[in-house]
Amino acid sequence: MIYIIFMAAGNSRRFGLNKLLYMLDGKPLYRHGLDCLLRAAEKHRDCEILVVSQYDEILNTVTAMGEEGRPVPLKALYSPESVQGASFTIKNALQYLQQTASVSAEDYLMFMTADQPYISEETIIRILSCTEEMKKGQFETASVYCGDIPGNPTLFSAGLIPELMELSGDQGGRRVIRKHSCLAVPIEDGRELKDIDVPEDLEKAESIYRNSK
């Protein structure tokens, strides 16, 4: 089983306001990544999705979506501690999964951030498919790369949960990846790794979406 943690709990300090709820091409920013993730996961099937957020609007929407009877289970987790940094989002998600699911060392964890509007369904499917190679025992993690630049999504053997639980502050899973064998998933379009940090990024994204029609 692949447990997918969709991290929609950031504080948007550089943006100024909650960027995840800003409209982009007719829907909130976070929905671009989430909708793409749902399409990819429904093709892969052996997945469950947990959306972690500190924002009621996101949690309420995801809860309603999860009640629609989807092929892939979709759940929402309230994480007020996320205001203290990314590690709290990660640890709250893992604690929830350990309490509610039968997670074993043979399972996998995929992490995806909610502010990457250019991520493609193909890239997500390729990351999910890395489990086949990881089962052979050579790799414990996987990550998207454009050239030598790493990015999200990332994939971990569930056997690494103890190390992920040791993260602190605003540390992310990259700290754990550096300690273990990583299967690189190369992509050609570096824009897929781009997240929205400041209002200018959102303006650029609006222009790109507008010109792509």
Side-chain angles (χ1 to χ4, degrees), residues 9-120:
N11 294 308
S12 304
R13 290 188 178 93
R14 293 178 62 191
F15 196 89
L17 297 171
N18 186 359
K19 62 184 177 183
L20 298 180
L21 297 178
Y22 266 69
M23 300 301 288
L24 173 62
D25 196 38
K27 60 184 178 183
L29 173 60
Y30 80 93
R31 284 295 302 268
H32 287 271
L34 180 58
D35 291 348
C36 189
L37 173 60
L38 285 167
R39 292 192 299 269
E42 287 173 2
K43 290 180 179 178
H44 196 277
R45 287 303 182 100
D46 191 24
C47 305
E48 293 185 8
I49 300 173
L50 177 65
V51 177
V52 187
S53 184
Q54 56 177 310
Y55 304 113
D56 288 340
E57 184 170 337
I58 294 176
L59 294 166
N60 293 339
T61 297
V62 170
T63 297
M65 292 171 65
E67 293 172 349
E68 295 174 357
R70 295 174 175 274
V72 172
L74 174 65
K75 300 177 181 179
L77 174 65
Y78 178 48
S79 177
E81 297 85 1
S82 292
V83 70
Q84 301 177 62
S87 69
F88 290 86
T89 302
I90 293 170
K91 290 189 284 188
N92 280 348
L94 297 179
Q95 289 172 345
Y96 175 84
L97 290 174
Q98 289 177 311
Q99 293 168 1
T100 62
S102 301
V103 182
S104 72
E106 287 72 41
D107 293 320
Y108 299 90
L109 308 164
M110 192 189 98
F111 292 89
M112 180 172 164
T113 58
D115 60 351
Q116 290 179 249
Y118 309 115
I119 195 71
S120 71

